[in-house]
Amino acid sequence: MKYVDEYRDGALARSLSAAIAAEARPDRTYAFMEFCGGHTHAISRYGIEDLLPANVRMIHGPGCPVCVLPIGRIDDAIRLAMRPEVTLCTYGDLMRVPASRNGSLLKAKAAGADIRMVYSSLDAVRIAEANPDRQVVFFAIGFETTTPPTAIALKAAEAKGLANFTIFCNHVLTPVAMRAILETPAAAGEPPIAVEGFVGPAHVSTIIGTEPYRIFAQHYGKPVVIAGFEPLDVMQAILMLIRQVNEGRSEVENQYIRAVTTPGNLAAQRLTEDIFELRDAFEWRGLGIMPKSALKLRDAYASFDAEVRFAVETQPAADNPACECGAILRGWKKPADCRLFGTTCTPETPMGACMVSSEGACAAHWTYGRFRAHEKTSTAPVRRAS
Amino acid sequence: MTAQSPIKAFRRKLDLRNGRVDMSHGSGGRASADLVAQIFRDAFANEWLDQGNDQASLPLPAGQRLVMTTDGYVVSPLFFPGGDIGSLAVHGTINDIAMAGARPLYLSASFIVEEGFPLGDLDRIARSMGAASRAAGVPVVTGDTKVVERGKADGVFISTAGVGVVPEGIALSGDRARPGDAVILSGSIGDHGVAIMSSRENLEFETAVLSDSAALHGLVAAMVAAAGPSLRTMRDPTRGGLAATLNELAHQSGVGFRIDEEAVPVRAEVAAACELLGLDPLYVANEGKLVAVVAPEAAERILGVMRAHPLGRDAALIGTVVADERRFVQMTTSFGGGRIVDWLSGEQLPRIC
């Protein structure tokens, strides 16, 4: 596949692996966080851990929008969907996320709720247009990457004069969460926060550009290398981070120059700014309530706001107290350290944020890497057949 | 019994252009008889069906073991690039029989039709089914038709049964994979799932990918003739794809698998579509492929026979069976790392077959 295979080349991976092994100093360890679920997935899916020396550790961050959506908001969506007049449109990966009282959108659908899986925000607008007697609610989630498509759907509905289309907005912001990870003090008895640098977001950065990460390099002294989601991108970014650490630099570098520019996508930023404003606070599953970390519709667009039209009042819902997602998302613990992992908590029956989507740290480890839990960390890759 | 009327019974011809199935077509009365006679009997025509009884009376070869299977088809859409629900039902049922190393003999078909379904589409499905069954040499010998109210089904559902016979000395079973055995895949994966997805209403995208829907009993017969006793087990990786099949076999046999990603054939168009949709071809359905676990010393011979058959041209050795009490399916990625190929979690795509 042209323009994709080039970034998954095994021979290039081996030479990058050798360069990382040569440049990583044997007398110390390195701990980097890949913020995005897309990177976590690439690391797990391609077995990148097998290509890194044992003293380079990757911490899987909270950058998976499905994972960090709090249970209370899923409950809200289910309540909306159960209203007889409502058709709820959602991206497919939210369907199975467990809500309170053992519920989920999938179960609500089976119980009669009109829930449609869509692949694009504009599909929801089309459904609203085709069903003028239904109240169509678009369950909008995601980081800065999926916010502009939600804005475009709103603009399309406005242009068509649709009075039956609203948005249940759950868009959240990347840099705020990165800061929270660095600022949260280690809990009593926990080792101090280990993150020494970030593999920076790929798609998010195409929208917001490189500037919002400067604070991490300058104020917190943590290097950031913005990287694409292909496995070679990730390996190259890890090499760039090791070089920064070794040379005592902390800068924002852009490995993903084929897509990310310094200012980002200004048209998308303007559109987002026009329609959305900061919420005072928003709960992130696994990380808790964070101020100014999410977006809501501006008052001017209140007629498109499902929270206004249906008077949504989110009720907090707690995770299982034994769930270690908060510590795992901050790099204090590894998935296998959690006593729920692989016992009561699996991708079929997820208990916490890190297991609900394949991009979550625990789900990725369970799905792709759990053979390592029983073997030494430096497991050699399996031998080729034939 | 009344004496046969000297006047030829009047038969109204079904309006295949504009007509629709209504409740009377399932009533058991004249309309039902017309539907069966003009659509199904015509499409499937064979001496056993023509007996016209509620059951087919069939000869059986002596001294062989009988295998039987049943299958339901609810694929959406009903017509897709490379096939339709009718041909799929024939191929899928034949393949389930063939995976035992068996020779399929007879099929049955039961149709559940939704009120309002176009008669022309039903005719098209029946003809496609008839053509597939004739091409495979496996007749549909008995059938049934029911009509349900609008909204109680989605167009047409087809249930089938199939019977076949296993030659002496052939004993394939999912619990027979042993460490050291070779794993062979008959061709590229993911074609059927991508073809279906490309024609889904809310997902339409342009692709040249056709479903691989095909009857594999000819390929299997060649494999059995060449090295029957060396075949441990065979399975067609339908729903859940290659990943599900390997995990099933690992569990049934109490072994692990080691697979080489680079050895698994995936068409460029399929890989591209999966990339776009965020799918892993390992989990995408196939309807004309098989996985065979074979004794290592026979692997090359079996591979040669498969590659000489049109449905096994791209057959490849994709890995080996290993001892592993955890029953993991592990894979060396094309990137050079290792990963697990787990069971599919949840539903990747509903109503694929």
Side-chain angles (χ1 to χ4, degrees):
Chain A
M1 202 184 335
K2 194 107 180 85
Y3 308 123
V4 173
D5 290 344
E6 291 86 337
Y7 299 98
R8 297 173 187 173
D9 184 273
L12 279 175
R14 282 189 290 280
S15 69
L16 265 174
S17 173
I20 289 171
E23 296 197 28
R25 286 173 23 205
D27 59 329
R28 57 158 297 162
T29 59
Y30 299 82
F32 304 122
M33 172 178 281
E34 85 280 4
F35 181 84
C36 284
H39 289 131
T40 305
H41 191 261
I43 288 169
S44 311
R45 162 74 180 76
Y46 294 95
I48 287 177
E49 270 182 56
D50 291 332
L51 302 170
L52 297 178
N55 61 333
V56 176
R57 179 187 162 205
M58 299 306 295
I59 297 165
H60 311 314
C64 155
V66 176
C67 303
V68 296
L69 188 71
I71 298 175
R73 301 294 277 187
I74 303 275
D75 289 344
D76 291 341
I78 291 173
R79 270 194 295 274
L80 282 171
M82 293 303 284
R83 298 176 73 111
E85 75 276 26
V86 166
T87 297
L88 183 82
C89 297
T90 174
Y91 294 130
D93 44 5
L94 283 167
M95 291 295 282
R96 293 187 313 116
V97 178
S100 299
R101 292 172 296 282
N102 211 7
S104 70
L105 288 169
L106 196 68
K107 288 177 183 164
K109 184 169 186 283
D114 185 2
I115 300 174
R116 317 270 181 97
M117 263 164 60
V118 294
Y119 295 88
S120 150
S121 58
L122 289 174
D123 289 345
V125 177
R126 275 190 282 276
I127 289 171
E129 199 175 10
N131 299 278
D133 54 334
R134 303 287 299 162
Q135 284 290 333
V136 175
V137 179
F138 175 58
F139 191 176
I141 77 153
F143 289 92
E144 290 86 340
T145 327
T146 47
T147 312
T150 301
I152 284 169
L154 188 152
K155 285 289 183 191
E158 188 181 43
K160 291 174 193 288
L162 297 179
N164 65 328
F165 177 80
T166 52
I167 288 164
F168 180 45
C169 179
N170 295 274
H171 288 295
V172 288
L173 301 171
T174 304
V176 190
M178 288 172 67
R179 209 155 66 207
I181 285 162
L182 292 175
E183 287 190 347
T184 316
E190 301 285 359
I193 183 87
V195 177
E196 292 171 280
F198 289 99
V199 174
H203 296 168
V204 163
S205 305
T206 63
I207 306 292
I208 69 175
T210 64
E211 198 53 31
Y213 308 110
R214 190 199 292 266
I215 181 173
F216 303 108
Q218 293 187 348
H219 178 73
Y220 295 95
K222 306 290 183 190
V224 178
V225 178
I226 295 161
F229 280 146
E230 294 299 329
L232 282 179
D233 292 326
V234 179
M235 299 231 1
Q236 190 179 23
I238 291 169
L239 180 60
M240 290 165 79
L241 282 170
I242 288 172
R243 283 180 181 159
Q244 285 207 39
V245 170
N246 285 354
E247 292 163 15
R249 291 183 289 127
S250 73
E251 299 165 8
V252 177
E253 292 182 306
N254 183 7
Q255 181 276 340
Y256 197 28
I257 48 173
R258 65 185 186 277
V260 173
T261 59
T262 305
N265 183 336
L266 294 173
Q269 290 171 25
R270 273 195 297 274
L271 189 62
T272 302
E273 175 66 24
D274 169 41
I275 292 175
F276 300 96
E277 63 183 353
L278 282 175
R279 284 179 196 270
D280 291 337
F282 193 74
E283 186 192 345
W284 291 50
R285 192 172 188 183
L287 292 175
I289 292 171
M290 292 197 276
K292 311 244 184 272
S293 64
L295 299 174
K296 62 175 180 176
L297 294 179
R298 288 186 184 279
D299 287 344
Y301 295 99
S303 61
F304 291 99
D305 192 340
E307 290 182 67
V308 173
R309 183 167 303 177
F310 302 103
V312 172
E313 278 189 43
T314 306
Q315 304 297 320
D319 273 317
N320 186 313
C323 172
E324 299 277 15
C325 283
I328 291 165
L329 289 174
R330 293 176 173 88
W332 295 337
K333 292 196 173 176
K334 292 182 176 179
D337 297 332
C338 175
R339 61 190 174 87
L340 301 181
F341 179 76
T343 54
T344 50
C345 185
T346 67
E348 277 72 36
T349 55
M351 307 289 288
C354 304
M355 195 62 99
V356 296
S357 147
S358 65
E359 293 189 346
C362 292
H365 182 58
W366 177 260
T367 305
Y368 295 116
R370 70 181 186 277
F371 66 94
R372 291 191 191 89
H374 303 266
E375 299 172 0
K376 291 198 170 64
T377 38
S378 58
T379 304
V382 295
R383 198 182 292 275
R384 289 192 179 284
S386 74
Chain B
M1 289 285 278
T2 52
Q4 203 165 9
S5 159
I7 305 166
K8 200 168 173 245
F10 174 72
R11 271 269 158 91
R12 194 199 313 227
K13 221 168 143 33
L14 289 176
D15 179 3
L16 295 180
R17 190 188 293 266
N18 300 311
R20 290 179 180 277
V21 172
D22 59 46
M23 294 308 291
S24 72
H25 288 116
S27 65
R30 171 63 54 78
S32 297
D34 285 348
L35 188 78
V36 170
Q38 294 182 46
I39 291 189
F40 297 115
R41 195 171 298 157
D42 226 34
F44 300 153
N46 60 68
E47 57 179 298
W48 298 282
L49 193 68
D50 291 345
Q51 292 166 358
N53 296 318
D54 283 355
Q55 68 294 119
S57 179
L58 307 163
L60 264 183
Q64 303 192 22
R65 265 184 315 123
L66 192 66
V67 290
M68 177 171 181
T69 188
T70 182
D71 216 340
Y73 294 86
V74 297
V75 64
S76 167
L78 296 168
F79 302 93
F80 49 83
D84 57 66
I85 190 171
S87 55
L88 183 68
V90 169
H91 296 153
T93 312
I94 287 176
N95 291 347
D96 280 352
I97 292 287
M99 291 309 116
R103 182 163 62 90
L105 294 177
Y106 309 111
L107 302 175
S108 77
S110 159
F111 292 77
I112 294 173
V113 190
E114 184 186 11
E115 177 187 16
F117 189 69
L119 283 167
D121 284 355
L122 191 61
D123 187 55
R124 200 175 144 201
I125 290 166
R127 277 177 200 291
S128 156
M129 203 166 174
S133 126
R134 274 190 297 280
V138 187
V140 178
V141 296
T142 184
D144 184 48
T145 311
K146 295 278 175 354
V147 179
V148 296
E149 295 92 336
R150 188 183 282 275
K152 305 284 181 184
D154 188 6
V156 177
F157 297 150
I158 302 177
S159 294
T160 61
V163 291
V165 286
V166 190
E168 211 154 330
I170 304 298
L172 276 69
S173 176
D175 60 4
R176 291 194 57 217
R178 292 291 170 267
D181 285 351
V183 184
I184 297 174
L185 176 66
S186 68
S188 65
I189 56 167
D191 300 27
H192 178 70
V194 165
I196 294 284
M197 258 176 274
S198 72
S199 48
R200 281 277 164 91
E201 204 177 340
N202 56 351
L203 208 63
E204 274 173 65
F205 56 91
E206 303 239 336
T207 173
V209 178
L210 301 180
S211 166
D212 59 351
S213 176
L216 294 169
H217 59 311
L219 175 65
V220 169
M223 295 165 71
V224 168
S230 302
L231 297 170
R232 311 279 203 231
T233 183
M234 285 193 279
R235 201 156 285 185
D236 52 340
T238 54
R239 275 175 301 174
L242 180 62
T245 295
L246 293 176
N247 275 287
E248 285 165 18
L249 295 177
H251 273 254
Q252 234 177 312
S253 290
V255 297
F257 283 92
R258 294 216 165 181
I259 301 301
D260 178 7
E261 185 172 30
E262 274 192 349
V264 176
V266 183
R267 281 179 208 282
E269 309 92 293
V270 171
C274 286
E275 189 65 32
L276 206 66
L277 297 166
L279 302 174
D280 187 335
L282 291 170
Y283 295 89
V284 180
N286 311 278
E287 289 292 346
K289 297 292 159 19
L290 65 84
V291 178
V293 178
V294 306
E297 64 276 8
E300 282 306 324
R301 186 155 37 103
I302 293 170
L303 209 50
V305 167
M306 292 175 75
R307 285 176 178 158
H309 191 279
L311 292 176
R313 237 185 346 245
D314 300 325
L317 189 64
I318 60 165
T320 52
V321 178
V322 294
D324 183 353
E325 58 189 27
R326 298 163 302 168
R327 303 171 187 193
F328 283 161
V329 178
Q330 292 189 51
M331 183 167 86
T332 304
T333 71
S334 50
F335 200 65
R339 64 170 268 206
I340 281 184
V341 177
D342 210 351
W343 298 90
L344 178 62
S345 177
E347 181 79 83
Q348 195 169 25
L349 184 72
R351 293 179 57 190
I352 196 81
C353 60

PDB file of all heavy atoms in Angstrom, chain A residues 360-380:
ATOM      1  N   GLY A 360      -6.716   1.889  24.721  1.00  0.00           N
ATOM      2  CA  GLY A 360      -6.359   2.067  26.126  1.00  0.00           C
ATOM      3  C   GLY A 360      -5.148   1.226  26.497  1.00  0.00           C
ATOM      4  O   GLY A 360      -4.882   0.188  25.896  1.00  0.00           O
ATOM      5  N   ALA A 361      -4.408   1.672  27.528  1.00  0.00           N
ATOM      6  CA  ALA A 361      -3.161   1.001  27.908  1.00  0.00           C
ATOM      7  C   ALA A 361      -3.396  -0.461  28.266  1.00  0.00           C
ATOM      8  O   ALA A 361      -2.664  -1.349  27.823  1.00  0.00           O
ATOM      9  CB  ALA A 361      -2.532   1.737  29.091  1.00  0.00           C
ATOM     10  N   CYS A 362      -4.437  -0.729  29.076  1.00  0.00           N
ATOM     11  CA  CYS A 362      -4.672  -2.108  29.524  1.00  0.00           C
ATOM     12  C   CYS A 362      -5.182  -2.981  28.383  1.00  0.00           C
ATOM     13  O   CYS A 362      -4.763  -4.128  28.234  1.00  0.00           O
ATOM     14  CB  CYS A 362      -5.666  -2.132  30.675  1.00  0.00           C
ATOM     15  SG  CYS A 362      -5.003  -1.379  32.177  1.00  0.00           S
ATOM     16  N   ALA A 363      -6.101  -2.428  27.574  1.00  0.00           N
ATOM     17  CA  ALA A 363      -6.650  -3.219  26.469  1.00  0.00           C
ATOM     18  C   ALA A 363      -5.554  -3.562  25.476  1.00  0.00           C
ATOM     19  O   ALA A 363      -5.487  -4.687  24.967  1.00  0.00           O
ATOM     20  CB  ALA A 363      -7.771  -2.459  25.779  1.00  0.00           C
ATOM     21  N   ALA A 364      -4.658  -2.609  25.216  1.00  0.00           N
ATOM     22  CA  ALA A 364      -3.579  -2.867  24.260  1.00  0.00           C
ATOM     23  C   ALA A 364      -2.650  -3.950  24.803  1.00  0.00           C
ATOM     24  O   ALA A 364      -2.236  -4.855  24.081  1.00  0.00           O
ATOM     25  CB  ALA A 364      -2.794  -1.588  23.982  1.00  0.00           C
ATOM     26  N   HIS A 365      -2.366  -3.868  26.093  1.00  0.00           N
ATOM     27  CA  HIS A 365      -1.476  -4.878  26.679  1.00  0.00           C
ATOM     28  C   HIS A 365      -2.151  -6.247  26.678  1.00  0.00           C
ATOM     29  O   HIS A 365      -1.530  -7.269  26.387  1.00  0.00           O
ATOM     30  CB  HIS A 365      -1.078  -4.480  28.103  1.00  0.00           C
ATOM     31  CG  HIS A 365      -0.121  -5.451  28.741  1.00  0.00           C
ATOM     32  ND1 HIS A 365       1.099  -5.757  28.180  1.00  0.00           N
ATOM     33  CD2 HIS A 365      -0.220  -6.215  29.863  1.00  0.00           C
ATOM     34  CE1 HIS A 365       1.716  -6.665  28.941  1.00  0.00           C
ATOM     35  NE2 HIS A 365       0.925  -6.960  29.962  1.00  0.00           N
ATOM     36  N   TRP A 366      -3.442  -6.255  27.018  1.00  0.00           N
ATOM     37  CA  TRP A 366      -4.166  -7.528  27.054  1.00  0.00           C
ATOM     38  C   TRP A 366      -4.271  -8.131  25.657  1.00  0.00           C
ATOM     39  O   TRP A 366      -4.006  -9.307  25.431  1.00  0.00           O
ATOM     40  CB  TRP A 366      -5.565  -7.317  27.649  1.00  0.00           C
ATOM     41  CG  TRP A 366      -6.386  -8.571  27.637  1.00  0.00           C
ATOM     42  CD1 TRP A 366      -7.345  -8.923  26.744  1.00  0.00           C
ATOM     43  CD2 TRP A 366      -6.285  -9.669  28.557  1.00  0.00           C
ATOM     44  NE1 TRP A 366      -7.854 -10.159  27.035  1.00  0.00           N
ATOM     45  CE2 TRP A 366      -7.217 -10.636  28.139  1.00  0.00           C
ATOM     46  CE3 TRP A 366      -5.478  -9.920  29.674  1.00  0.00           C
ATOM     47  CZ2 TRP A 366      -7.389 -11.850  28.828  1.00  0.00           C
ATOM     48  CZ3 TRP A 366      -5.652 -11.130  30.348  1.00  0.00           C
ATOM     49  CH2 TRP A 366      -6.594 -12.075  29.928  1.00  0.00           C
ATOM     50  N   THR A 367      -4.645  -7.296  24.689  1.00  0.00           N
ATOM     51  CA  THR A 367      -4.935  -7.803  23.356  1.00  0.00           C
ATOM     52  C   THR A 367      -3.681  -8.212  22.603  1.00  0.00           C
ATOM     53  O   THR A 367      -3.666  -9.211  21.896  1.00  0.00           O
ATOM     54  CB  THR A 367      -5.691  -6.726  22.545  1.00  0.00           C
ATOM     55  OG1 THR A 367      -6.829  -6.339  23.290  1.00  0.00           O
ATOM     56  CG2 THR A 367      -6.141  -7.255  21.199  1.00  0.00           C
ATOM     57  N   TYR A 368      -2.626  -7.439  22.753  1.00  0.00           N
ATOM     58  CA  TYR A 368      -1.446  -7.677  21.913  1.00  0.00           C
ATOM     59  C   TYR A 368      -0.225  -8.170  22.669  1.00  0.00           C
ATOM     60  O   TYR A 368       0.642  -8.794  22.093  1.00  0.00           O
ATOM     61  CB  TYR A 368      -1.049  -6.378  21.195  1.00  0.00           C
ATOM     62  CG  TYR A 368      -2.059  -5.874  20.214  1.00  0.00           C
ATOM     63  CD1 TYR A 368      -2.689  -4.649  20.412  1.00  0.00           C
ATOM     64  CD2 TYR A 368      -2.367  -6.609  19.084  1.00  0.00           C
ATOM     65  CE1 TYR A 368      -3.611  -4.176  19.492  1.00  0.00           C
ATOM     66  CE2 TYR A 368      -3.285  -6.143  18.171  1.00  0.00           C
ATOM     67  CZ  TYR A 368      -3.900  -4.929  18.368  1.00  0.00           C
ATOM     68  OH  TYR A 368      -4.807  -4.458  17.467  1.00  0.00           O
ATOM     69  N   GLY A 369      -0.116  -7.823  23.940  1.00  0.00           N
ATOM     70  CA  GLY A 369       1.182  -8.022  24.588  1.00  0.00           C
ATOM     71  C   GLY A 369       1.190  -8.910  25.810  1.00  0.00           C
ATOM     72  O   GLY A 369       2.202  -9.013  26.475  1.00  0.00           O
ATOM     73  N   ARG A 370       0.055  -9.571  26.129  1.00  0.00           N
ATOM     74  CA  ARG A 370       0.041 -10.242  27.426  1.00  0.00           C
ATOM     75  C   ARG A 370       0.935 -11.465  27.471  1.00  0.00           C
ATOM     76  O   ARG A 370       1.216 -11.984  28.537  1.00  0.00           O
ATOM     77  CB  ARG A 370      -1.376 -10.569  27.873  1.00  0.00           C
ATOM     78  CG  ARG A 370      -2.100 -11.650  27.094  1.00  0.00           C
ATOM     79  CD  ARG A 370      -3.509 -11.808  27.669  1.00  0.00           C
ATOM     80  NE  ARG A 370      -4.249 -12.893  27.100  1.00  0.00           N
ATOM     81  CZ  ARG A 370      -4.922 -12.848  25.966  1.00  0.00           C
ATOM     82  NH1 ARG A 370      -4.935 -11.731  25.266  1.00  0.00           N
ATOM     83  NH2 ARG A 370      -5.585 -13.900  25.529  1.00  0.00           N
ATOM     84  N   PHE A 371       1.406 -11.947  26.326  1.00  0.00           N
ATOM     85  CA  PHE A 371       2.372 -13.053  26.374  1.00  0.00           C
ATOM     86  C   PHE A 371       3.627 -12.621  27.102  1.00  0.00           C
ATOM     87  O   PHE A 371       4.330 -13.435  27.676  1.00  0.00           O
ATOM     88  CB  PHE A 371       2.689 -13.563  24.958  1.00  0.00           C
ATOM     89  CG  PHE A 371       3.403 -12.587  24.070  1.00  0.00           C
ATOM     90  CD1 PHE A 371       4.782 -12.604  23.983  1.00  0.00           C
ATOM     91  CD2 PHE A 371       2.689 -11.645  23.324  1.00  0.00           C
ATOM     92  CE1 PHE A 371       5.444 -11.696  23.146  1.00  0.00           C
ATOM     93  CE2 PHE A 371       3.343 -10.751  22.494  1.00  0.00           C
ATOM     94  CZ  PHE A 371       4.737 -10.776  22.415  1.00  0.00           C
ATOM     95  N   ARG A 372       3.910 -11.312  27.103  1.00  0.00           N
ATOM     96  CA  ARG A 372       5.119 -10.820  27.765  1.00  0.00           C
ATOM     97  C   ARG A 372       4.993 -10.869  29.280  1.00  0.00           C
ATOM     98  O   ARG A 372       5.977 -10.976  29.972  1.00  0.00           O
ATOM     99  CB  ARG A 372       5.414  -9.377  27.364  1.00  0.00           C
ATOM    100  CG  ARG A 372       5.840  -9.242  25.934  1.00  0.00           C
ATOM    101  CD  ARG A 372       6.383  -7.860  25.656  1.00  0.00           C
ATOM    102  NE  ARG A 372       6.545  -7.695  24.229  1.00  0.00           N
ATOM    103  CZ  ARG A 372       5.609  -7.241  23.428  1.00  0.00           C
ATOM    104  NH1 ARG A 372       4.445  -6.863  23.930  1.00  0.00           N
ATOM    105  NH2 ARG A 372       5.802  -7.160  22.139  1.00  0.00           N
ATOM    106  N   ALA A 373       3.771 -10.790  29.787  1.00  0.00           N
ATOM    107  CA  ALA A 373       3.577 -10.780  31.236  1.00  0.00           C
ATOM    108  C   ALA A 373       4.120 -12.054  31.856  1.00  0.00           C
ATOM    109  O   ALA A 373       4.481 -12.088  33.011  1.00  0.00           O
ATOM    110  CB  ALA A 373       2.101 -10.620  31.567  1.00  0.00           C
ATOM    111  N   HIS A 374       4.187 -13.135  31.033  1.00  0.00           N
ATOM    112  CA  HIS A 374       4.641 -14.413  31.559  1.00  0.00           C
ATOM    113  C   HIS A 374       6.094 -14.678  31.205  1.00  0.00           C
ATOM    114  O   HIS A 374       6.649 -15.678  31.567  1.00  0.00           O
ATOM    115  CB  HIS A 374       3.776 -15.547  31.001  1.00  0.00           C
ATOM    116  CG  HIS A 374       2.328 -15.358  31.292  1.00  0.00           C
ATOM    117  ND1 HIS A 374       1.719 -15.917  32.390  1.00  0.00           N
ATOM    118  CD2 HIS A 374       1.377 -14.640  30.654  1.00  0.00           C
ATOM    119  CE1 HIS A 374       0.443 -15.570  32.397  1.00  0.00           C
ATOM    120  NE2 HIS A 374       0.207 -14.798  31.356  1.00  0.00           N
ATOM    121  N   GLU A 375       6.670 -13.782  30.424  1.00  0.00           N
ATOM    122  CA  GLU A 375       8.039 -14.007  29.985  1.00  0.00           C
ATOM    123  C   GLU A 375       8.895 -12.832  30.434  1.00  0.00           C
ATOM    124  O   GLU A 375       8.393 -11.846  30.927  1.00  0.00           O
ATOM    125  CB  GLU A 375       8.079 -14.124  28.453  1.00  0.00           C
ATOM    126  CG  GLU A 375       7.252 -15.300  27.942  1.00  0.00           C
ATOM    127  CD  GLU A 375       7.129 -15.301  26.427  1.00  0.00           C
ATOM    128  OE1 GLU A 375       7.692 -14.396  25.791  1.00  0.00           O
ATOM    129  OE2 GLU A 375       6.470 -16.203  25.908  1.00  0.00           O
ATOM    130  N   LYS A 376      10.193 -12.947  30.248  1.00  0.00           N
ATOM    131  CA  LYS A 376      11.074 -11.844  30.598  1.00  0.00           C
ATOM    132  C   LYS A 376      10.782 -10.664  29.676  1.00  0.00           C
ATOM    133  O   LYS A 376      10.357 -10.835  28.542  1.00  0.00           O
ATOM    134  CB  LYS A 376      12.538 -12.288  30.442  1.00  0.00           C
ATOM    135  CG  LYS A 376      12.945 -13.317  31.484  1.00  0.00           C
ATOM    136  CD  LYS A 376      14.455 -13.403  31.576  1.00  0.00           C
ATOM    137  CE  LYS A 376      14.880 -14.229  32.770  1.00  0.00           C
ATOM    138  NZ  LYS A 376      14.453 -15.637  32.657  1.00  0.00           N
ATOM    139  N   THR A 377      11.036  -9.451  30.159  1.00  0.00           N
ATOM    140  CA  THR A 377      10.677  -8.276  29.374  1.00  0.00           C
ATOM    141  C   THR A 377      11.415  -8.208  28.041  1.00  0.00           C
ATOM    142  O   THR A 377      10.963  -7.597  27.110  1.00  0.00           O
ATOM    143  CB  THR A 377      10.967  -6.979  30.155  1.00  0.00           C
ATOM    144  OG1 THR A 377      12.165  -7.175  30.879  1.00  0.00           O
ATOM    145  CG2 THR A 377       9.828  -6.635  31.070  1.00  0.00           C
ATOM    146  N   SER A 378      12.582  -8.851  27.967  1.00  0.00           N
ATOM    147  CA  SER A 378      13.357  -8.753  26.728  1.00  0.00           C
ATOM    148  C   SER A 378      13.078  -9.929  25.790  1.00  0.00           C
ATOM    149  O   SER A 378      13.958 -10.408  25.108  1.00  0.00           O
ATOM    150  CB  SER A 378      14.847  -8.722  27.045  1.00  0.00           C
ATOM    151  OG  SER A 378      15.199  -9.886  27.764  1.00  0.00           O
ATOM    152  N   THR A 379      11.800 -10.381  25.788  1.00  0.00           N
ATOM    153  CA  THR A 379      11.417 -11.488  24.917  1.00  0.00           C
ATOM    154  C   THR A 379      11.858 -11.247  23.477  1.00  0.00           C
ATOM    155  O   THR A 379      11.592 -10.203  22.910  1.00  0.00           O
ATOM    156  CB  THR A 379       9.884 -11.613  24.894  1.00  0.00           C
ATOM    157  OG1 THR A 379       9.463 -11.755  26.222  1.00  0.00           O
ATOM    158  CG2 THR A 379       9.451 -12.802  24.075  1.00  0.00           C
ATOM    159  N   ALA A 380      12.507 -12.224  22.907  1.00  0.00           N
ATOM    160  CA  ALA A 380      12.856 -12.109  21.486  1.00  0.00           C
ATOM    161  C   ALA A 380      11.575 -12.267  20.671  1.00  0.00           C
ATOM    162  O   ALA A 380      10.677 -12.993  21.063  1.00  0.00           O
ATOM    163  CB  ALA A 380      13.850 -13.200  21.117  1.00  0.00           C
TER     164      ALA A 380
END
